Amino acid sequence: MFGVEDGWMWCQLPSGRRLWYANPRLVERETPWGALRTSVKCDGVNSVTKKFESFDLYGGLLAENIVQAVSRDLMASAMLRLEDAGYPIIMTVHDEVVAESSVENGTLAEFTDILCKLPSWAKGLPLTAEGWSGQRYRK
């Protein structure tokens, strides 16, 4: 679901969290082949220059933002469950969760089962995880 309010456009994620886009506006732009097209521009931080600037907002970018945000929500939910189950989180690396466990407590199978347990808002989503166990972190 999308909406606009007070100079912001938002997208409601299945988790209930919202992605926000500042100052959305329709602009006319010229395509490389000379045709005029209406497109959406928003303002945000450029990840390279770290400066606030305008950028084009298009379907592929929205899809990428939504997929990454839903993935983040799933991982955050899983991390809370892991902590509750006695797996202290040491760090995350992109889509990886690194936790500590004594040899006597917990198994890799239990860990991945907890990771893959879906929150109610993601019912039916196909989700798998794999991992390994070792004395130190490796990529």
Side-chain angles (χ1 to χ4, degrees), residues 15-133:
S15 66
R17 193 166 63 94
R18 287 182 176 179
L19 296 179
W20 293 86
Y21 299 91
N23 192 23
R25 59 206 176 274
L26 296 176
V27 297
E28 290 291 321
R29 68 173 179 82
E30 188 175 338
T31 65
W33 52 92
L36 280 180
R37 292 280 158 87
T38 302
S39 66
V40 178
K41 278 212 174 278
C42 288
D43 298 334
V45 177
N46 180 315
S47 62
V48 176
T49 65
K50 307 297 185 219
K51 294 182 180 177
F52 204 72
E53 57 189 48
S54 292
F55 63 92
D56 290 320
L57 190 60
Y58 54 94
L61 180 60
L62 285 171
E64 177 185 344
N65 289 176
I66 292 167
V67 167
Q68 288 179 345
V70 168
S71 297
R72 176 262 174 220
D73 290 347
L74 287 167
M75 190 163 151
S77 172
M79 289 170 64
L80 292 172
R81 287 191 308 276
L82 286 166
E83 287 271 344
D84 289 345
Y87 293 95
I89 305 297
I90 302 305
M91 67 178 180
T92 62
V93 181
H94 303 292
D95 61 348
E96 298 176 9
V97 177
V98 180
E100 266 187 342
S101 174
S102 66
V103 175
E104 301 83 33
N105 298 331
T107 64
L108 183 57
E110 180 185 46
F111 189 87
T112 56
D113 286 346
I114 293 168
L115 270 174
C116 293
K117 185 173 187 240
L118 293 171
S120 60
W121 54 265
K123 224 171 222 14
L125 180 78
L127 184 65
T128 63
E130 55 185 49
W132 65 274
S133 177

